[in-house]
Amino acid sequence: MGKWQTKEQLVDLLCNLVSIPSITGSPAEKQVPGYLVEQLSSLPYFQAHPDHVRANPTEDDRHFVTALVKKEGVRDTVILVSHFDVVDVEDYGEWRKHAFDPKALTPLFHANATDMPAAVQEDLNSGNWLFGRGTMDMKCGLALHMSMIERACEGEFEGNILLLTVPDEEVNSVGMRAAVPALLALAEEFDLNYKTVLNSEPMFTRFPGDHNKYLYTGSIGKVLPGFLCYGKETHVGEPFAGLNGNLMASQITCALELNTSFCEVVEGEISPPPTNLIQKDLKKEYSVQIPHRAVTLFNLFLLEKKMEDIVEPLLQTARQVADQISQSYARQASLFAKTAPFTPRDLSIRVMSYEELHAYAVKTYGEERLSQLQAEAVANRGDKDDRDMTIELVDQLAILCKELSPMIILFFAPPFYPAVSSRRHPLIQRTTAVMEAYAAEQHQVTLLQQNYFGGISDLSYAGLQYPAASMQPLVANMPLWDQGYSIPLQALEAFDVPVMNLGPVGRDAHQWTERLDVDYAFDTLRDMLPRCIHSLLK
């Protein structure tokens, strides 16, 4: 019967995986690879081939796991990719102590159904749902992939199956970025020809109340543009003698928040508009000096735009904001001057990219001075995350070049997820058609093909849809590039494997009501995944 083949076995495996509270960056995240290697190594195939299952190190002492089931003389290989980290559980409130125990949490939710949101009550009454952090996102996918590996060990598939499961998908994708060069090395070591990277992230709703079921042939891209706003310091009693950085940042936020001109439409699919993720001033303590330096950062989704198509519209938006601030300043200063002995000054705000600021700093202060400044900032990083460290590097450079102020500086912070779409790849087109027909005929399920998985995923690192050189506008404007963050662009360009995502049905990812449709996952999808793999290897 096997270890992970029945619905009951898969529920138990999922609950065991969820019980490890593998929040991204936590000590428990580092426990998962050992558990997985132990479980996989219990299979007879891996006892006979112990070097085929490995815990591979990342640059920050975490590990991703690879497990290869190889048929003699066969090259074609399907990669099953998943992640084992989860977001934190602060949102669970009084239920927090049960967040990683689905078999305890689910009955509690049933017992308190009248206190649950309406949509949760509907699912509690109508189906077999399992609640808990990581049940849908995405330890169910990992459990199913382990089931597929076990079937591969028994010789079910005509090709090779490589399980890849990684840490850190929820923050910076350290695991997947480290995995790509390792996958290239594995291909050379075992003479593998990668056919597809198959993910099993859960389906994401496209709108509230969306109950459609999707198969994805790509994954949405994401970039994190930021604007450091450097005004002019002054006492609050003389506000017209300075320029408030918070004013500048807030106006940029107003101009970019939900700005649909930054949306892309590809074959009827539209990317969500930009939204703010961080906005703050950079004063270290309270005083009656205005906060003359502030920063604002945005989530910006990508489908088919190149980086060069992103930078200029962002700069143009900042220029428009700079003009509006100057005009507003002039109006208010003129009104104030009517009742006070005050002569308004002209206000002109410079807009530039980080690349331009850096070039000015090199020319004015020398490469050695800049290298020393950056080295000191990195050495004193402390517990700053990649966003805060990026802001610190831009801020230090702006302070050095304060003679250019007032100014607005465009930069990019990690993480960056390239958009990827395999909708035109013949193998993916054929397999999509096969799965749509199989789901309808065998399970009365309508699968709708979507070009892009909208939840952001590690499929972004399965290749590049444009040459690596096209990423130069990103690289040149990301201060942390090669100083703590980078993407193996050349490896991605060499890897270039088509992608698919066929996953379970869930609800409310990253919320305390996160839940998994157990029947769909471990009845319907458990049957469909092998059919998908067979088609990809055909």
Side-chain angles (χ1 to χ4, degrees):
M1 182 170 58
K3 291 184 65 171
W4 307 311
Q5 297 308 311
T6 69
K7 177 193 274 188
E8 293 74 20
Q9 288 174 331
L10 283 167
V11 168
D12 287 342
L13 174 60
L14 173 59
C15 290
N16 290 337
L17 291 169
V18 170
S19 71
I20 305 173
S22 52
I23 296 168
T24 314
S26 70
E29 185 190 26
K30 293 185 176 182
Q31 296 173 12
V32 179
Y35 173 79
L36 294 174
V37 169
E38 179 185 9
Q39 291 297 311
L40 292 164
S41 295
S42 70
L43 299 175
Y45 176 87
F46 291 114
Q47 290 174 356
H49 303 85
D51 62 321
H52 285 209
V53 58
R54 302 172 182 177
N56 309 267
T58 65
E59 62 188 20
D60 60 358
D61 200 34
R62 285 181 274 188
H63 289 79
F64 61 92
V65 174
T66 54
L68 173 65
V69 180
K70 177 82 165 68
K71 294 180 82 78
E72 189 68 30
V74 176
R75 299 187 66 237
D76 286 351
T77 306
V78 169
I79 301 171
L80 304 179
V81 67
S82 62
H83 68 88
F84 53 75
D85 64 314
V86 298
V87 298
D88 67 37
V89 294
E90 293 294 330
D91 52 335
Y92 277 80
E94 63 180 308
W95 312 108
R96 183 180 174 187
K97 65 181 179 180
H98 302 295
F100 295 109
D101 187 355
K103 291 185 178 180
L105 184 66
T106 302
L108 281 172
F109 278 16
H110 276 279
N112 293 271
T114 55
D115 298 327
M116 298 291 149
V120 176
Q121 291 187 41
E122 182 180 338
D123 285 341
L124 285 168
N125 293 330
S126 65
N128 182 14
W129 293 80
L130 195 67
F131 290 77
R133 177 63 81 231
T135 50
M136 67 167 285
D137 185 16
M138 69 159 294
K139 289 179 177 177
C140 172
L142 172 55
L144 283 163
H145 288 180
M146 292 172 71
S147 176
M148 296 302 105
I149 280 288
E150 185 179 29
R151 293 171 77 152
C153 290
E154 298 300 319
E156 175 163 336
F157 304 112
E158 291 305 310
N160 311 313
I161 306 298
L162 174 59
L163 181 142
L164 168 65
T165 187
V166 300
D168 192 53
E169 189 267 358
E170 299 290 3
V171 180
N172 284 328
S173 285
V174 166
M176 190 63 183
R177 288 187 286 121
V180 173
L183 292 173
L184 290 171
L186 277 172
E188 186 171 342
E189 179 182 355
F190 291 102
D191 191 26
L192 306 177
N193 173 44
Y194 295 132
K195 298 283 286 184
T196 308
V197 180
L198 178 61
N199 204 341
S200 287
E201 287 273 12
M203 300 175 197
F204 271 62
T205 57
R206 299 184 68 195
F207 49 84
D210 180 14
H211 287 175
N212 290 318
K213 295 178 174 62
Y214 298 105
L215 182 155
Y216 304 92
T217 56
S219 193
I220 199 167
K222 163 188 168 147
V223 69
L224 198 63
F227 296 86
L228 188 131
C229 301
Y230 197 119
K232 188 179 187 307
E233 68 274 19
T234 188
H235 190 283
V236 294
E238 297 181 292
F240 284 107
L243 179 59
N244 198 307
N246 280 344
L247 167 68
M248 301 166 72
S250 66
Q251 293 301 302
I252 289 178
T253 296
C254 288
L256 277 176
E257 181 72 19
L258 304 180
N259 186 334
T260 55
S261 69
F262 285 90
C263 296
E264 289 184 71
V265 179
V266 175
E267 298 179 3
E269 295 179 33
I270 185 168
S271 62
T275 189
N276 185 265
L277 290 177
I278 297 173
Q279 182 176 316
K280 60 183 178 179
D281 69 71
L282 301 178
K283 280 179 67 174
K284 303 298 184 185
E285 67 285 314
Y286 170 81
S287 74
V288 291
Q289 182 190 66
I290 66 166
H292 64 287
R293 301 182 341 271
V295 69
T296 181
L297 278 78
F298 299 85
N299 187 92
L300 179 59
F301 285 119
L302 307 174
L303 298 181
E304 291 190 337
K305 286 183 179 177
K306 296 180 180 178
M307 285 308 306
E308 64 190 38
D309 301 324
I310 296 297
V311 171
E312 185 53 37
L314 289 169
L315 287 171
Q316 185 57 36
T317 300
R319 293 185 192 108
Q320 293 169 358
V321 168
D323 290 342
Q324 292 166 4
I325 293 172
S326 297
Q327 293 166 15
S328 176
Y329 177 93
R331 280 195 308 272
Q332 299 301 332
S334 178
L335 291 171
F336 187 74
K338 291 179 180 179
T339 57
F342 164 69
T343 303
R345 65 185 180 93
D346 291 334
L347 178 66
S348 177
I349 302 170
R350 192 186 310 265
V351 174
M352 60 199 313
S353 66
Y354 175 81
E355 181 180 17
E356 292 169 327
L357 179 65
H358 188 273
Y360 170 87
V362 169
K363 182 178 179 180
T364 308
Y365 297 100
E367 189 71 56
E368 184 177 347
R369 177 80 181 275
L370 260 67
S371 298
Q372 180 183 3
L373 190 72
Q374 291 178 328
E376 289 175 357
V378 172
N380 296 319
R381 175 169 183 162
D383 60 357
K384 293 186 181 74
D385 74 2
D386 284 353
R387 271 61 53 192
D388 287 332
M389 191 63 229
T390 298
I391 293 167
E392 177 72 16
L393 289 169
V394 182
D395 190 38
Q396 289 298 321
L397 195 59
I399 291 172
L400 178 67
C401 304
K402 58 183 177 293
E403 67 272 14
L404 298 178
S405 65
M407 57 183 163
I408 298 172
I409 304 157
L410 167 67
F411 63 92
F412 293 105
F416 169 61
Y417 287 83
V420 58
S421 178
S422 300
R423 66 188 185 277
R424 297 190 181 98
H425 194 284
L427 175 62
I428 301 304
Q429 289 177 331
R430 181 172 60 79
T431 301
T432 297
V434 166
M435 293 314 300
E436 288 173 344
Y438 186 81
E441 293 166 6
Q442 299 298 319
H443 298 285
Q444 293 72 57
V445 167
T446 300
L447 278 181
L448 302 179
Q449 184 263 333
Q450 289 290 296
N451 296 327
Y452 297 94
F453 174 75
I456 307 173
S457 79
D458 280 336
L459 288 180
S460 284
Y461 302 107
L464 294 175
Q465 62 178 335
Y466 300 115
S470 70
M471 298 297 173
Q472 186 57 28
L474 172 79
V475 172
N477 288 293
M478 185 177 279
L480 208 57
W481 192 272
D482 282 342
Q483 301 210 67
Y485 179 88
S486 63
I487 296 171
L489 294 176
Q490 302 303 324
L492 264 62
E493 197 169 48
F495 187 65
D496 193 26
V497 178
V499 303
M500 273 186 84
N501 190 100
L502 182 62
V505 172
R507 303 264 191 272
D508 298 349
H510 297 194
Q511 300 179 46
W512 64 274
T513 49
E514 177 181 351
R515 57 200 183 276
L516 174 76
D517 183 338
V518 175
D519 293 336
Y520 186 89
F522 297 144
D523 286 330
T524 306
L525 185 56
R526 177 169 61 95
D527 177 65
M528 290 199 299
L529 267 180
R531 184 70 186 88
C532 183
I533 294 170
H534 281 299
S535 178
L536 292 170
L537 288 170
K538 188 173 181 180

